[in-house]
């Protein structure tokens, strides 16, 4: 259950076709950022042992994903490099309320929604490259393989938010943030990115 309010449109797959290399480079950056986000949660809420244990697992998995993507880039002869980031993450982080504990709830739910959207897009990407006239089976298998862990990360972040507010409050806020997320991603961005 990903709690997303929209399905990625075909226009994003057109961007994937036209800029596959840049998408893959951006994906590597996303995994690195995901590891950084999980590590930041440990620094911010170090007294929450449940959170620290879960985040340790996520940091390790995201770094492993980062490693897998840069290996994939290497096999394909693509040079990993800096990219100008898209606006998606910043726009979502702007929705985070300022006062604790609402801030913790929002930070965790936003992190979880980014996981959910990545997960949904990995699936679309895998199906797309696996079903084209000349299938890219390596890439299809790669993205199918990431689906399960990103879906689990989404559930973990949502569950951890319930340490900071009641289940009812968390689910209501998740519903609200998911609608806003769908609005943020709908128009797309000119820069080809995992979340454009
Ligand atoms: Fe990941
Ligand atoms: Fe993840």
């Amino acid at each position: 259950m990903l709690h997303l309010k929209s399905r990625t449109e075909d226009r994003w797959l057109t961007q994937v076709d036209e800029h596959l290399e840049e998408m893959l480079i951006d994906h590597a950056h996303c995994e690195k950022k995901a590891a950084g986000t999980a590590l930041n949660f440990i620094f911010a809420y170090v007294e929450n042992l449940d959170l620290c244990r879960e985040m340790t697992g996520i940091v390790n998995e995201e770094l492993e994903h980062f490693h897998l993507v840069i290996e994939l880039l290497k096999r394909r002869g693509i040079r990993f490099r800096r990219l100008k980031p898209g606006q998606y993450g910043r726009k979502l982080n702007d929705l985070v309320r300022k006062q604790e504990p609402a801030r913790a709830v929002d930070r965790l739910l936003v992190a979880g929604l980014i996981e959910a959207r990545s997960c949904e897009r990995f699936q679309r990407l895998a199906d797309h490259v696996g079903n084209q006239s000349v299938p890219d089976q390596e890439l299809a298998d790669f993205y199918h393989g990431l689906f399960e862990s990103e879906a689990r990360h989404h559930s973990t972040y949502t569950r951890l938010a319930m340490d900071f507010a009641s289940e009812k409050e968390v689910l209501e806020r998740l519903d609200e943030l998911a609608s806003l997320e769908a609005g943020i991603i709908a128009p797309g961005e000119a820069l080809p990115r995992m979340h454009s």
Side-chain angles (χ1 to χ4, degrees), residues 30-31 34-35 58 61-62 65 111 114-116 118-119 122 146 149-154 157:
C30 288
E31 298 292 357
I58 293 185
E61 281 190 1
E62 303 295 17
H65 294 170
I114 296 173
E115 296 284 338
S118 304
C119 189
F122 291 170
L146 291 176
S149 54
E150 307 304 4
R152 181 163 36 77
H153 296 166
H154 167 69
Y157 279 123

mmCIF file of all heavy atoms in Angstrom, residues 30-31 34-35 58 61-62 65 111 114-116 118-119 122 146 149-154 157, ligand 2:
data_model
loop_
_atom_site.group_PDB
_atom_site.id
_atom_site.type_symbol
_atom_site.label_atom_id
_atom_site.label_comp_id
_atom_site.label_asym_id
_atom_site.label_seq_id
_atom_site.Cartn_x
_atom_site.Cartn_y
_atom_site.Cartn_z
ATOM 1 N N CYS A 30 19.563 10.058 -6.049
ATOM 2 C CA CYS A 30 18.392 9.818 -5.181
ATOM 3 C C CYS A 30 18.722 8.808 -4.083
ATOM 4 O O CYS A 30 18.314 8.980 -2.930
ATOM 5 C CB CYS A 30 17.217 9.255 -5.980
ATOM 6 S SG CYS A 30 16.446 10.454 -7.039
ATOM 7 N N GLU A 31 19.436 7.759 -4.446
ATOM 8 C CA GLU A 31 19.774 6.736 -3.438
ATOM 9 C C GLU A 31 20.712 7.327 -2.382
ATOM 10 O O GLU A 31 20.578 7.052 -1.188
ATOM 11 C CB GLU A 31 20.414 5.509 -4.108
ATOM 12 C CG GLU A 31 19.509 4.786 -5.092
ATOM 13 C CD GLU A 31 18.307 4.091 -4.430
ATOM 14 O OE1 GLU A 31 18.177 4.108 -3.196
ATOM 15 O OE2 GLU A 31 17.481 3.543 -5.195
ATOM 16 N N ALA A 34 18.652 9.474 -0.185
ATOM 17 C CA ALA A 34 17.802 8.654 0.701
ATOM 18 C C ALA A 34 18.618 8.175 1.909
ATOM 19 O O ALA A 34 18.111 8.158 3.034
ATOM 20 C CB ALA A 34 17.220 7.472 -0.076
ATOM 21 N N ALA A 35 19.871 7.807 1.677
ATOM 22 C CA ALA A 35 20.736 7.395 2.791
ATOM 23 C C ALA A 35 20.964 8.585 3.727
ATOM 24 O O ALA A 35 20.904 8.442 4.959
ATOM 25 C CB ALA A 35 22.066 6.861 2.252
ATOM 26 N N ILE A 58 17.850 1.298 7.035
ATOM 27 C CA ILE A 58 17.572 2.019 5.783
ATOM 28 C C ILE A 58 18.850 2.676 5.241
ATOM 29 O O ILE A 58 19.118 2.609 4.043
ATOM 30 C CB ILE A 58 16.401 3.023 5.956
ATOM 31 C CG1 ILE A 58 15.094 2.251 6.209
ATOM 32 C CG2 ILE A 58 16.260 3.914 4.720
ATOM 33 C CD1 ILE A 58 13.834 3.095 6.273
ATOM 34 N N GLU A 61 20.740 0.027 3.484
ATOM 35 C CA GLU A 61 20.115 -0.421 2.224
ATOM 36 C C GLU A 61 20.247 0.631 1.135
ATOM 37 O O GLU A 61 20.500 0.309 -0.023
ATOM 38 C CB GLU A 61 18.638 -0.749 2.449
ATOM 39 C CG GLU A 61 18.460 -2.107 3.096
ATOM 40 C CD GLU A 61 17.006 -2.571 3.114
ATOM 41 O OE1 GLU A 61 16.109 -1.854 2.602
ATOM 42 O OE2 GLU A 61 16.776 -3.642 3.657
ATOM 43 N N GLU A 62 20.067 1.899 1.513
ATOM 44 C CA GLU A 62 20.155 2.954 0.493
ATOM 45 C C GLU A 62 21.583 3.098 -0.024
ATOM 46 O O GLU A 62 21.793 3.332 -1.212
ATOM 47 C CB GLU A 62 19.643 4.297 1.032
ATOM 48 C CG GLU A 62 18.203 4.294 1.568
ATOM 49 C CD GLU A 62 17.122 4.026 0.527
ATOM 50 O OE1 GLU A 62 17.418 3.519 -0.571
ATOM 51 O OE2 GLU A 62 15.957 4.318 0.832
ATOM 52 N N HIS A 65 21.992 0.420 -2.441
ATOM 53 C CA HIS A 65 21.355 0.780 -3.717
ATOM 54 C C HIS A 65 22.232 1.762 -4.496
ATOM 55 O O HIS A 65 22.388 1.640 -5.708
ATOM 56 C CB HIS A 65 19.981 1.428 -3.479
ATOM 57 C CG HIS A 65 18.958 0.505 -2.883
ATOM 58 N ND1 HIS A 65 17.751 0.941 -2.407
ATOM 59 C CD2 HIS A 65 18.984 -0.839 -2.696
ATOM 60 C CE1 HIS A 65 17.066 -0.105 -1.943
ATOM 61 N NE2 HIS A 65 17.791 -1.186 -2.103
ATOM 62 N N ALA A 111 9.309 11.788 3.736
ATOM 63 C CA ALA A 111 10.326 10.794 3.348
ATOM 64 C C ALA A 111 9.633 9.534 2.820
ATOM 65 O O ALA A 111 10.052 8.955 1.813
ATOM 66 C CB ALA A 111 11.218 10.455 4.547
ATOM 67 N N ILE A 114 8.218 10.081 -0.721
ATOM 68 C CA ILE A 114 9.278 10.040 -1.743
ATOM 69 C C ILE A 114 9.634 8.572 -2.049
ATOM 70 O O ILE A 114 9.799 8.189 -3.206
ATOM 71 C CB ILE A 114 10.510 10.867 -1.297
ATOM 72 C CG1 ILE A 114 10.122 12.345 -1.166
ATOM 73 C CG2 ILE A 114 11.668 10.685 -2.288
ATOM 74 C CD1 ILE A 114 11.206 13.245 -0.565
ATOM 75 N N GLU A 115 9.689 7.757 -0.995
ATOM 76 C CA GLU A 115 9.939 6.320 -1.203
ATOM 77 C C GLU A 115 8.823 5.709 -2.063
ATOM 78 O O GLU A 115 9.092 4.916 -2.967
ATOM 79 C CB GLU A 115 9.980 5.578 0.138
ATOM 80 C CG GLU A 115 11.113 5.982 1.060
ATOM 81 C CD GLU A 115 12.450 5.413 0.625
ATOM 82 O OE1 GLU A 115 12.475 4.410 -0.092
ATOM 83 O OE2 GLU A 115 13.478 5.998 1.003
ATOM 84 N N ALA A 116 7.590 6.068 -1.734
ATOM 85 C CA ALA A 116 6.445 5.493 -2.451
ATOM 86 C C ALA A 116 6.479 5.890 -3.924
ATOM 87 O O ALA A 116 6.263 5.059 -4.811
ATOM 88 C CB ALA A 116 5.140 5.961 -1.803
ATOM 89 N N SER A 118 9.095 6.811 -5.678
ATOM 90 C CA SER A 118 10.225 6.145 -6.326
ATOM 91 C C SER A 118 9.823 4.722 -6.684
ATOM 92 O O SER A 118 10.063 4.249 -7.798
ATOM 93 C CB SER A 118 11.437 6.081 -5.395
ATOM 94 O OG SER A 118 11.781 7.371 -4.960
ATOM 95 N N CYS A 119 9.211 4.067 -5.727
ATOM 96 C CA CYS A 119 8.772 2.695 -5.897
ATOM 97 C C CYS A 119 7.825 2.571 -7.094
ATOM 98 O O CYS A 119 7.998 1.709 -7.961
ATOM 99 C CB CYS A 119 8.065 2.337 -4.598
ATOM 100 S SG CYS A 119 7.643 0.666 -4.429
ATOM 101 N N PHE A 122 9.798 3.128 -10.286
ATOM 102 C CA PHE A 122 10.667 1.989 -10.624
ATOM 103 C C PHE A 122 9.854 0.918 -11.345
ATOM 104 O O PHE A 122 10.312 0.320 -12.310
ATOM 105 C CB PHE A 122 11.297 1.367 -9.367
ATOM 106 C CG PHE A 122 12.326 2.232 -8.679
ATOM 107 C CD1 PHE A 122 12.812 1.882 -7.427
ATOM 108 C CD2 PHE A 122 12.819 3.387 -9.272
ATOM 109 C CE1 PHE A 122 13.761 2.657 -6.783
ATOM 110 C CE2 PHE A 122 13.764 4.172 -8.630
ATOM 111 C CZ PHE A 122 14.235 3.803 -7.379
ATOM 112 N N LEU A 146 14.379 -3.496 -7.032
ATOM 113 C CA LEU A 146 14.393 -2.439 -6.015
ATOM 114 C C LEU A 146 13.008 -2.187 -5.420
ATOM 115 O O LEU A 146 12.870 -1.585 -4.352
ATOM 116 C CB LEU A 146 14.917 -1.129 -6.613
ATOM 117 C CG LEU A 146 16.401 -1.096 -6.987
ATOM 118 C CD1 LEU A 146 16.737 0.231 -7.651
ATOM 119 C CD2 LEU A 146 17.281 -1.300 -5.762
ATOM 120 N N SER A 149 12.096 -3.262 -1.551
ATOM 121 C CA SER A 149 12.697 -2.535 -0.424
ATOM 122 C C SER A 149 12.166 -1.106 -0.330
ATOM 123 O O SER A 149 11.942 -0.603 0.766
ATOM 124 C CB SER A 149 14.225 -2.567 -0.465
ATOM 125 O OG SER A 149 14.705 -2.114 -1.684
ATOM 126 N N GLU A 150 11.917 -0.449 -1.474
ATOM 127 C CA GLU A 150 11.400 0.928 -1.400
ATOM 128 C C GLU A 150 9.968 0.935 -0.851
ATOM 129 O O GLU A 150 9.590 1.838 -0.096
ATOM 130 C CB GLU A 150 11.469 1.636 -2.749
ATOM 131 C CG GLU A 150 12.845 1.633 -3.442
ATOM 132 C CD GLU A 150 14.018 2.211 -2.658
ATOM 133 O OE1 GLU A 150 13.853 2.589 -1.477
ATOM 134 O OE2 GLU A 150 15.125 2.276 -3.217
ATOM 135 N N ALA A 151 9.191 -0.093 -1.182
ATOM 136 C CA ALA A 151 7.822 -0.194 -0.629
ATOM 137 C C ALA A 151 7.890 -0.388 0.890
ATOM 138 O O ALA A 151 7.123 0.210 1.648
ATOM 139 C CB ALA A 151 7.071 -1.352 -1.282
ATOM 140 N N ARG A 152 8.834 -1.205 1.320
ATOM 141 C CA ARG A 152 8.996 -1.438 2.759
ATOM 142 C C ARG A 152 9.451 -0.161 3.458
ATOM 143 O O ARG A 152 8.989 0.154 4.561
ATOM 144 C CB ARG A 152 9.996 -2.583 2.962
ATOM 145 C CG ARG A 152 10.250 -2.967 4.396
ATOM 146 C CD ARG A 152 10.906 -4.353 4.501
ATOM 147 N NE ARG A 152 11.845 -4.646 3.428
ATOM 148 C CZ ARG A 152 13.090 -4.148 3.345
ATOM 149 N NH1 ARG A 152 13.534 -3.319 4.258
ATOM 150 N NH2 ARG A 152 13.884 -4.472 2.339
ATOM 151 N N HIS A 153 10.337 0.606 2.829
ATOM 152 C CA HIS A 153 10.773 1.870 3.441
ATOM 153 C C HIS A 153 9.578 2.807 3.629
ATOM 154 O O HIS A 153 9.462 3.477 4.648
ATOM 155 C CB HIS A 153 11.834 2.570 2.579
ATOM 156 C CG HIS A 153 13.109 1.784 2.450
ATOM 157 N ND1 HIS A 153 14.064 2.078 1.505
ATOM 158 C CD2 HIS A 153 13.582 0.731 3.155
ATOM 159 C CE1 HIS A 153 15.080 1.228 1.645
ATOM 160 N NE2 HIS A 153 14.804 0.401 2.624
ATOM 161 N N HIS A 154 8.705 2.850 2.636
ATOM 162 C CA HIS A 154 7.506 3.681 2.761
ATOM 163 C C HIS A 154 6.711 3.274 4.012
ATOM 164 O O HIS A 154 6.327 4.131 4.814
ATOM 165 C CB HIS A 154 6.632 3.562 1.513
ATOM 166 C CG HIS A 154 5.260 4.120 1.703
ATOM 167 N ND1 HIS A 154 5.030 5.479 1.851
ATOM 168 C CD2 HIS A 154 4.051 3.505 1.860
ATOM 169 C CE1 HIS A 154 3.733 5.667 2.056
ATOM 170 N NE2 HIS A 154 3.125 4.508 2.068
ATOM 171 N N TYR A 157 8.523 4.345 7.343
ATOM 172 C CA TYR A 157 8.406 5.776 7.670
ATOM 173 C C TYR A 157 7.003 6.106 8.182
ATOM 174 O O TYR A 157 6.842 6.876 9.140
ATOM 175 C CB TYR A 157 8.743 6.628 6.440
ATOM 176 C CG TYR A 157 10.227 6.798 6.211
ATOM 177 C CD1 TYR A 157 10.820 6.415 5.010
ATOM 178 C CD2 TYR A 157 11.041 7.362 7.192
ATOM 179 C CE1 TYR A 157 12.195 6.583 4.791
ATOM 180 C CE2 TYR A 157 12.405 7.533 6.985
ATOM 181 C CZ TYR A 157 12.976 7.139 5.781
ATOM 182 O OH TYR A 157 14.325 7.308 5.590
HETATM 183 FE FE1 LIG B 2 14.300 3.656 -0.085
#
